[in-house]
Amino acid sequence: MKNSGIKSVVDFKRYKEEKRSISMVTCYDAAFARIADKSEVDCLLVGDSCGMVSAGYESTVPVTVDEIIYHAKAVRRGAPDRLIVADLPFLSYHESRESAVRNAGRILKETGANAVKLEGGEYFCDTVRTLVACSIPVMGHLGLTPQSVNVTGGYRVQGRDPKDAERMKRDAKALEDAGCFAIVLEMVPENLAREISESLSIPTIGIGAGRYCDGQVLVIYDLLGMNGKFNPKFLKKYANLDEIIRNAINEYSADVKTGAFPGSDNVF
Ligand code: KIV
Protein backbone atom coordinates (compact mmCIF):
# COMPACT_ATOMS: atom_id res chain seq x y z
CA MET A 1 0.00 0.00 0.00
CA LYS A 2 1.34 3.43 -0.93
CA ASN A 3 1.29 6.13 1.71
CA SER A 4 -0.73 9.15 0.67
CA GLY A 5 1.86 11.03 2.81
CA ILE A 6 2.58 14.69 2.63
CA LYS A 7 2.12 15.83 -0.93
CA SER A 8 2.88 19.52 -0.66
CA VAL A 9 4.38 21.97 1.80
CA VAL A 10 0.87 23.30 2.42
CA ASP A 11 0.04 19.98 4.14
CA PHE A 12 2.54 20.65 6.94
CA LYS A 13 0.36 23.26 8.62
CA ARG A 14 -2.74 21.12 8.10
CA TYR A 15 -1.05 18.15 9.78
CA LYS A 16 -0.32 20.38 12.77
CA GLU A 17 -3.90 21.68 12.88
CA GLU A 18 -5.15 18.09 12.75
CA LYS A 19 -2.61 17.10 15.46
CA ARG A 20 -1.07 14.49 13.15
CA SER A 21 2.59 13.88 13.88
CA ILE A 22 4.94 14.26 10.89
CA SER A 23 7.62 11.62 10.22
CA MET A 24 10.64 12.59 8.15
CA VAL A 25 13.75 10.58 7.37
CA THR A 26 16.92 11.51 5.52
CA CYS A 27 17.69 9.83 2.23
CA TYR A 28 20.71 10.14 -0.04
CA ASP A 29 20.38 7.64 -2.87
CA ALA A 30 17.90 5.87 -5.14
CA ALA A 31 18.26 2.47 -3.43
CA PHE A 32 17.10 3.77 -0.04
CA ALA A 33 14.58 6.13 -1.68
CA ARG A 34 12.91 3.17 -3.41
CA ILE A 35 12.47 1.46 -0.04
CA ALA A 36 11.34 4.67 1.71
CA ASP A 37 8.87 5.24 -1.12
CA LYS A 38 7.15 1.98 -0.20
CA SER A 39 7.05 2.97 3.49
CA GLU A 40 4.59 5.04 5.48
CA VAL A 41 7.04 7.86 6.21
CA ASP A 42 5.63 11.32 5.40
CA CYS A 43 8.57 12.99 3.64
CA LEU A 44 12.26 12.71 2.79
CA LEU A 45 15.16 15.02 3.61
CA VAL A 46 18.28 15.09 1.46
CA GLY A 47 20.32 16.37 4.39
CA ASP A 48 23.85 17.67 4.18
CA SER A 49 24.49 14.92 6.77
CA CYS A 50 25.22 12.94 3.58
CA GLY A 51 28.67 14.53 3.85
CA MET A 52 29.31 12.82 7.18
CA VAL A 53 27.43 9.51 7.04
CA SER A 54 27.94 8.74 3.36
CA ALA A 55 31.01 10.66 2.15
CA GLY A 56 32.94 10.37 5.44
CA TYR A 57 33.66 14.09 6.00
CA GLU A 58 34.31 15.21 9.60
CA SER A 59 31.46 17.75 9.40
CA THR A 60 28.81 19.02 6.99
CA VAL A 61 30.91 22.11 6.19
CA PRO A 62 32.58 20.72 3.01
CA VAL A 63 29.30 19.70 1.35
CA THR A 64 28.64 21.55 -1.93
CA VAL A 65 25.54 22.49 -3.89
CA ASP A 66 26.62 20.06 -6.62
CA GLU A 67 26.82 17.22 -4.08
CA ILE A 68 23.33 17.98 -2.76
CA ILE A 69 22.09 18.06 -6.36
CA TYR A 70 23.70 14.69 -7.08
CA HIS A 71 22.06 13.08 -4.03
CA ALA A 72 18.66 14.79 -4.48
CA LYS A 73 18.46 13.69 -8.13
CA ALA A 74 19.09 10.09 -7.08
CA VAL A 75 16.45 10.30 -4.33
CA ARG A 76 13.92 11.77 -6.77
CA ARG A 77 14.58 8.89 -9.20
CA GLY A 78 13.94 6.38 -6.41
CA ALA A 79 10.89 8.16 -4.99
CA PRO A 80 9.15 9.91 -7.89
CA ASP A 81 6.09 11.11 -5.94
CA ARG A 82 7.49 11.87 -2.50
CA LEU A 83 7.81 15.29 -0.95
CA ILE A 84 11.56 15.93 -0.85
CA VAL A 85 13.29 18.68 1.13
CA ALA A 86 16.95 19.29 0.24
CA ASP A 87 19.52 21.08 2.38
CA LEU A 88 21.12 24.31 1.29
CA PRO A 89 24.76 23.58 2.16
CA PHE A 90 27.18 25.84 4.05
CA LEU A 91 27.87 29.16 2.26
CA SER A 92 25.30 28.53 -0.46
CA TYR A 93 22.90 31.15 0.97
CA HIS A 94 25.11 33.34 3.16
CA GLU A 95 26.75 35.68 0.65
CA SER A 96 23.67 37.36 -0.77
CA ARG A 97 19.98 36.82 -1.39
CA GLU A 98 20.85 36.49 -5.10
CA SER A 99 23.20 33.58 -4.45
CA ALA A 100 20.56 31.97 -2.22
CA VAL A 101 17.96 32.19 -5.00
CA ARG A 102 20.45 30.89 -7.57
CA ASN A 103 21.51 27.89 -5.46
CA ALA A 104 18.06 27.02 -4.11
CA GLY A 105 16.63 27.48 -7.61
CA ARG A 106 19.23 25.11 -9.05
CA ILE A 107 18.37 22.50 -6.42
CA LEU A 108 14.64 22.66 -7.21
CA LYS A 109 15.03 22.89 -11.01
CA GLU A 110 17.75 20.26 -11.43
CA THR A 111 16.56 17.66 -8.91
CA GLY A 112 12.81 17.85 -8.61
CA ALA A 113 13.04 18.46 -4.84
CA ASN A 114 10.05 20.40 -3.49
CA ALA A 115 11.67 22.62 -0.87
CA VAL A 116 14.97 23.62 0.69
CA LYS A 117 16.11 23.73 4.31
CA LEU A 118 18.49 26.30 5.73
CA GLU A 119 20.16 26.70 9.12
CA GLY A 120 19.87 29.96 11.07
CA GLY A 121 17.45 32.45 12.58
CA GLU A 122 16.59 36.16 12.38
CA TYR A 123 19.74 37.01 10.41
CA PHE A 124 18.52 34.87 7.48
CA CYS A 125 14.89 36.02 7.50
CA ASP A 126 15.35 38.41 4.55
CA THR A 127 16.80 35.48 2.62
CA VAL A 128 13.84 33.28 3.60
CA ARG A 129 11.40 36.03 2.52
CA THR A 130 13.17 36.35 -0.85
CA LEU A 131 13.16 32.59 -1.48
CA VAL A 132 9.49 32.28 -0.55
CA ALA A 133 8.64 35.27 -2.78
CA CYS A 134 10.42 33.39 -5.59
CA SER A 135 8.17 30.35 -4.92
CA ILE A 136 10.91 28.34 -3.23
CA PRO A 137 9.47 26.80 -0.04
CA VAL A 138 11.81 26.96 2.95
CA MET A 139 12.12 24.77 6.05
CA GLY A 140 14.04 26.44 8.89
CA HIS A 141 16.56 24.76 11.20
CA LEU A 142 17.36 25.98 14.74
CA GLY A 143 19.11 24.66 17.85
CA LEU A 144 22.19 22.69 16.95
CA THR A 145 23.08 23.88 13.47
CA PRO A 146 25.88 21.55 12.33
CA GLN A 147 27.15 23.97 9.64
CA SER A 148 28.22 26.26 12.53
CA VAL A 149 30.37 23.60 14.24
CA ASN A 150 33.46 25.78 13.87
CA VAL A 151 31.79 28.46 16.00
CA THR A 152 29.88 26.27 18.46
CA GLY A 153 32.85 23.93 18.98
CA GLY A 154 30.87 20.69 18.93
CA TYR A 155 27.58 18.88 18.65
CA ARG A 156 25.92 19.81 21.96
CA VAL A 157 22.42 20.56 23.24
CA GLN A 158 21.55 24.21 22.49
CA GLY A 159 19.29 26.59 24.40
CA ARG A 160 20.06 25.55 27.98
CA ASP A 161 21.20 29.07 28.82
CA PRO A 162 18.11 31.32 29.34
CA LYS A 163 19.52 33.97 26.95
CA ASP A 164 20.06 31.35 24.21
CA ALA A 165 16.57 29.98 24.85
CA GLU A 166 15.03 33.46 24.43
CA ARG A 167 16.98 33.97 21.20
CA MET A 168 15.81 30.63 19.85
CA LYS A 169 12.18 31.54 20.59
CA ARG A 170 12.63 34.87 18.77
CA ASP A 171 14.34 33.11 15.84
CA ALA A 172 11.52 30.59 15.54
CA LYS A 173 8.85 33.29 15.46
CA ALA A 174 10.89 35.32 12.95
CA LEU A 175 11.28 32.29 10.65
CA GLU A 176 7.55 31.64 10.81
CA ASP A 177 6.82 35.30 10.02
CA ALA A 178 9.32 35.20 7.13
CA GLY A 179 7.37 32.34 5.54
CA CYS A 180 8.99 29.04 6.58
CA PHE A 181 6.52 26.15 6.31
CA ALA A 182 8.18 24.15 9.12
CA ILE A 183 11.23 24.34 11.40
CA VAL A 184 13.65 21.58 12.42
CA LEU A 185 14.66 21.82 16.10
CA GLU A 186 17.90 19.89 16.69
CA MET A 187 19.29 19.02 20.15
CA VAL A 188 17.05 21.33 22.14
CA PRO A 189 15.82 20.72 25.73
CA GLU A 190 12.36 19.18 25.65
CA ASN A 191 10.63 22.01 27.55
CA LEU A 192 12.04 24.70 25.26
CA ALA A 193 11.10 22.71 22.13
CA ARG A 194 7.60 22.30 23.58
CA GLU A 195 7.27 26.03 24.25
CA ILE A 196 8.43 26.87 20.73
CA SER A 197 6.13 24.26 19.17
CA GLU A 198 3.13 25.57 21.08
CA SER A 199 3.89 29.17 20.12
CA LEU A 200 3.96 28.53 16.35
CA SER A 201 1.24 27.77 13.81
CA ILE A 202 3.76 25.93 11.59
CA PRO A 203 5.06 22.52 12.70
CA THR A 204 8.37 21.85 14.40
CA ILE A 205 10.25 18.71 13.39
CA GLY A 206 12.50 17.51 16.21
CA ILE A 207 15.74 15.59 16.34
CA GLY A 208 16.96 15.30 19.91
CA ALA A 209 14.28 17.84 20.85
CA GLY A 210 11.92 15.64 22.84
CA ARG A 211 8.38 14.41 22.65
CA TYR A 212 6.37 17.58 22.06
CA CYS A 213 7.54 18.62 18.60
CA ASP A 214 4.98 18.32 15.81
CA GLY A 215 7.07 15.72 14.03
CA GLN A 216 10.41 13.90 14.17
CA VAL A 217 13.33 13.41 11.80
CA LEU A 218 16.20 10.92 11.98
CA VAL A 219 19.20 10.27 9.77
CA ILE A 220 18.37 7.01 7.98
CA TYR A 221 21.82 5.46 8.60
CA ASP A 222 21.40 6.19 12.32
CA LEU A 223 17.93 4.68 12.70
CA LEU A 224 19.10 1.62 10.79
CA GLY A 225 22.12 1.23 13.10
CA MET A 226 24.73 1.49 10.34
CA ASN A 227 27.38 2.74 12.79
CA GLY A 228 27.65 0.63 15.94
CA LYS A 229 29.79 3.33 17.57
CA PHE A 230 27.22 6.14 17.16
CA ASN A 231 24.87 5.91 20.12
CA PRO A 232 23.66 9.38 21.15
CA LYS A 233 20.91 9.57 23.77
CA PHE A 234 18.30 10.94 21.34
CA LEU A 235 18.67 8.05 18.89
CA LYS A 236 16.49 4.96 18.76
CA LYS A 237 17.91 2.28 16.47
CA TYR A 238 15.28 0.28 14.62
CA ALA A 239 17.79 -2.18 13.14
CA ASN A 240 21.40 -3.18 13.56
CA LEU A 241 22.63 -3.09 9.98
CA ASP A 242 26.26 -2.56 11.05
CA GLU A 243 26.34 -6.14 12.35
CA ILE A 244 24.00 -7.59 9.70
CA ILE A 245 26.04 -6.13 6.82
CA ARG A 246 29.38 -7.12 8.39
CA ASN A 247 28.15 -10.70 8.91
CA ALA A 248 26.86 -10.89 5.33
CA ILE A 249 30.17 -9.64 3.90
CA ASN A 250 32.09 -12.13 6.09
CA GLU A 251 29.85 -15.00 4.99
CA TYR A 252 30.35 -14.06 1.34
CA SER A 253 34.10 -13.74 1.81
CA ALA A 254 34.29 -17.14 3.54
CA ASP A 255 32.23 -18.72 0.75
CA VAL A 256 34.63 -17.33 -1.84
CA LYS A 257 37.61 -18.72 0.04
CA THR A 258 36.07 -22.19 0.52
CA GLY A 259 34.69 -22.32 -3.01
CA ALA A 260 31.05 -22.40 -1.78
CA PHE A 261 30.35 -19.35 -3.93
CA PRO A 262 29.63 -19.30 -6.82
CA GLY A 263 27.63 -22.52 -6.54
CA SER A 264 26.04 -24.51 -9.33
CA ASP A 265 22.93 -22.24 -9.08
CA ASN A 266 25.03 -19.16 -9.81
CA VAL A 267 26.65 -20.18 -13.07
CA PHE A 268 25.57 -19.82 -16.73
O1 KIV B 1 21.43 17.12 7.39
C1 KIV B 1 20.57 16.53 8.07
O2 KIV B 1 20.42 15.30 8.02
C2 KIV B 1 19.71 17.31 8.93
C3 KIV B 1 18.83 16.59 9.90
C4 KIV B 1 19.64 16.07 11.02
C5 KIV B 1 17.71 17.42 10.37
O3 KIV B 1 19.73 18.50 8.87
Side-chain angles (χ1 to χ4, degrees):
M1 191 187 72
K2 249 194 159 178
N3 172 341
S4 50
I6 288 193
K7 288 291 168 221
S8 108
V9 295
V10 176
D11 291 339
F12 279 77
K13 207 165 173 181
R14 185 169 59 77
Y15 266 54
K16 177 160 181 152
E17 284 160 7
E18 293 171 358
K19 299 193 184 334
R20 292 164 71 185
S21 198
I22 297 164
S23 59
M24 181 160 83
V25 69
T26 68
C27 204
Y28 315 112
D29 64 29
F32 278 98
R34 257 182 236 117
I35 298 170
D37 196 31
K38 288 187 233 135
S39 78
E40 295 294 315
V41 80
D42 287 314
C43 55
L44 305 178
L45 170 67
V46 182
D48 57 2
S49 51
C50 63
M52 296 178 77
V53 298
S54 172
Y57 295 140
E58 285 292 315
S59 77
T60 59
V61 168
V63 176
T64 64
V65 172
D66 285 337
E67 285 170 335
I68 290 291
I69 287 175
Y70 170 84
H71 287 287
K73 273 174 143 170
V75 172
R76 176 50 83 212
R77 283 192 290 268
D81 306 320
R82 286 289 170 156
L83 188 126
I84 297 175
V85 180
D87 260 338
L88 278 172
F90 182 56
L91 290 192
S92 68
Y93 56 97
H94 306 62
E95 270 178 88
S96 64
R97 287 183 289 157
E98 287 76 12
S99 67
V101 171
R102 190 165 50 250
N103 288 320
R106 271 194 71 200
I107 290 172
L108 259 60
K109 281 169 77 88
E110 294 179 33
T111 73
N114 305 93
V116 294
K117 175 166 79 58
L118 60 77
E119 297 180 6
E122 273 180 325
Y123 180 79
F124 290 102
C125 281
D126 281 344
T127 303
V128 171
R129 261 186 288 277
T130 304
L131 291 170
V132 173
C134 294
S135 304
I136 299 172
V138 182
M139 178 178 275
H141 185 154
L142 295 173
L144 173 67
T145 48
Q147 293 174 12
S148 306
V149 65
N150 287 311
V151 176
T152 55
Y155 300 102
R156 281 187 282 276
V157 174
Q158 304 291 310
R160 283 210 164 112
D161 180 279
K163 259 207 239 148
D164 294 343
E166 282 312 309
R167 194 177 51 231
M168 207 183 300
K169 286 190 240 174
R170 277 201 311 276
D171 283 341
K173 187 75 189 100
L175 288 172
E176 170 170 75
D177 292 345
C180 282
F181 67 88
I183 300 176
V184 166
L185 295 179
E186 181 165 357
M187 299 285 280
V188 175
E190 184 173 71
N191 284 342
L192 175 58
R194 181 180 200 167
E195 215 184 308
I196 292 173
S197 303
E198 287 174 357
S199 73
L200 302 178
S201 65
I202 57 171
T204 57
I205 315 282
I207 173 163
R211 293 163 290 181
Y212 303 105
C213 292
D214 303 296
Q216 299 289 331
V217 56
L218 281 177
V219 168
I220 196 160
Y221 285 19
D222 296 346
L223 82 85
L224 293 175
M226 293 277 277
N227 179 354
K229 292 193 182 127
F230 186 64
N231 297 298
K233 187 175 180 197
F234 70 82
L235 176 62
K236 179 171 174 185
K237 292 186 180 179
Y238 291 84
N240 185 1
L241 289 199
D242 185 324
E243 194 180 326
I244 290 171
I245 293 172
R246 191 161 16 93
N247 288 344
I249 294 171
N250 276 338
E251 248 183 81
Y252 155 73
S253 175
D255 278 359
V256 170
K257 289 174 202 293
T258 60
F261 178 81
S264 54
D265 288 350
N266 309 116
V267 296
F268 300 103

